[in-house]
Amino acid sequence: MRREERQQLIVNLLVENKTVDLDDLADRFNVSKMTIHRDLDDLEQAGVLRKVRGGATIDAGTQFESDFRIRERQGNEAKLAMAETALELVEPGMTVMVNDGSMAAVLGEMLLQKRPLTLITNNAAIMERLKGEAGITLIALGGIYSAKFNAYLGVVTEEALSRLRADIAFISTPAVSGGRAYHMDDNVVRAKRAMIASSTWTCLLVNHQRIGHTALHVMADLADFDAVITDSAPDAAVLEEFEQAGITLTIASTQDPI
């Protein structure tokens, strides 16, 4: 078996199980533990996984988020529910911003239902899907391409955003806690902040499993957003925290404001 094929199978196992065991992988592929170590080193360097004692994981820590190729294959039902709810905020003729991420990519494709639209994005998956679509004026933000996030980031991206204005921006986050949204990558944080600053109305999208978690960088206060959408109700203490802060949390599965 070629190294590339074996590494892809390791990624597939991570998608299914979230963790892999070094000894199990060596037995499964009939190779040495050192070979598996090298495979995991390669995948970690590419940002696909995080090595831990005795194996690897795609569970996010405060300074880690798994590769876009893994995230786009996870939680599709939740992404669809949130995207459908977010779509209700869009009217034909609007100028819409959509940020990086697999959740945002699902929403980006759904926006075809609301054309004509002007769509501003740094999300390469959305660019590829919507280019050439009738009724979509696509403004693709340039910058330095990040394979990990499948997006364009950096000074060029931020400068372009400073000269644009949207009716609404959809911003996704991997962590929300204590009235704040977080992200582990500083370039991603700056791009998201630039989108927030360049939009009249902003909506935050977050998987309910990521509420109660933090990451390295504070991206924004939840009060900076006009709406927050999640896929399932968090526990009662979190709901009370949102209510006390005066933040409307919309649960996509029921589409009822909490």
Side-chain angles (χ1 to χ4, degrees), residues 61-73:
T62 59
Q63 300 185 50
F64 176 80
E65 184 176 27
S66 59
D67 188 278
F68 180 89
R69 290 167 291 179
I70 285 180
R71 285 180 280 122
E72 71 176 340
R73 297 175 60 180

Side-chain angles (χ1 to χ4, degrees), residues 3-187:
R3 180 179 62 181
E4 293 79 7
E5 182 181 357
R6 186 174 60 250
Q7 290 182 359
Q8 183 57 56
L9 290 173
I10 292 173
V11 169
N12 293 346
L13 288 168
L14 280 164
V15 170
E16 294 173 7
N17 304 311
K18 292 191 177 182
T19 62
V20 290
D21 179 79
L22 178 67
D23 293 337
D24 176 68
L25 291 175
D27 291 341
R28 180 186 294 265
F29 298 117
N30 195 28
V31 295
S32 69
K33 293 181 184 179
M34 186 56 65
T35 296
I36 296 299
H37 266 300
R38 287 194 291 267
D39 286 337
L40 297 181
D41 285 340
D42 289 346
L43 291 169
E44 184 175 51
Q45 187 173 2
V48 175
L49 54 77
R50 178 164 54 101
K51 287 186 72 177
V52 295
R53 180 181 292 275
T57 181
I58 57 171
D59 283 341
T62 59
Q63 300 185 50
F64 176 80
E65 184 176 27
S66 59
D67 188 278
F68 180 89
R69 290 167 291 179
I70 285 180
R71 285 180 280 122
E72 71 176 340
R73 297 175 60 180
Q74 294 177 302
N76 194 55
E77 185 177 341
K79 293 171 187 174
L80 287 170
M82 285 188 282
E84 287 171 356
T85 300
L87 198 65
E88 297 177 6
L89 302 175
V90 179
E91 298 292 339
M94 278 185 168
T95 297
V96 181
M97 282 184 182
V98 182
N99 72 174
D100 66 283
S102 57
M103 164 69 245
V106 173
L107 173 59
E109 182 163 356
M110 284 190 181
L111 287 172
L112 290 169
Q113 301 173 35
K114 297 288 187 172
R115 54 186 146 189
L117 288 175
T118 297
L119 178 59
I120 303 168
T121 188
N122 65 335
N123 190 316
I126 295 175
M127 295 177 193
E128 182 63 28
R129 174 63 185 87
L130 270 62
K131 67 182 182 183
E133 284 284 348
I136 299 292
T137 300
L138 179 62
I139 300 177
L141 299 168
I144 298 174
Y145 177 71
S146 166
K148 180 175 182 178
F149 297 105
N150 199 28
Y152 293 87
L153 305 166
V155 174
V156 174
T157 311
E158 296 155 29
E159 177 65 19
L161 284 165
S162 72
R163 296 178 179 275
L164 296 167
R165 190 72 182 172
D167 296 304
I168 186 169
F170 292 100
I171 308 296
S172 56
T173 182
V176 163
S177 182
R180 290 175 167 178
Y182 295 82
H183 202 282
M184 62 292 302
D185 187 275
D186 56 347
N187 283 318

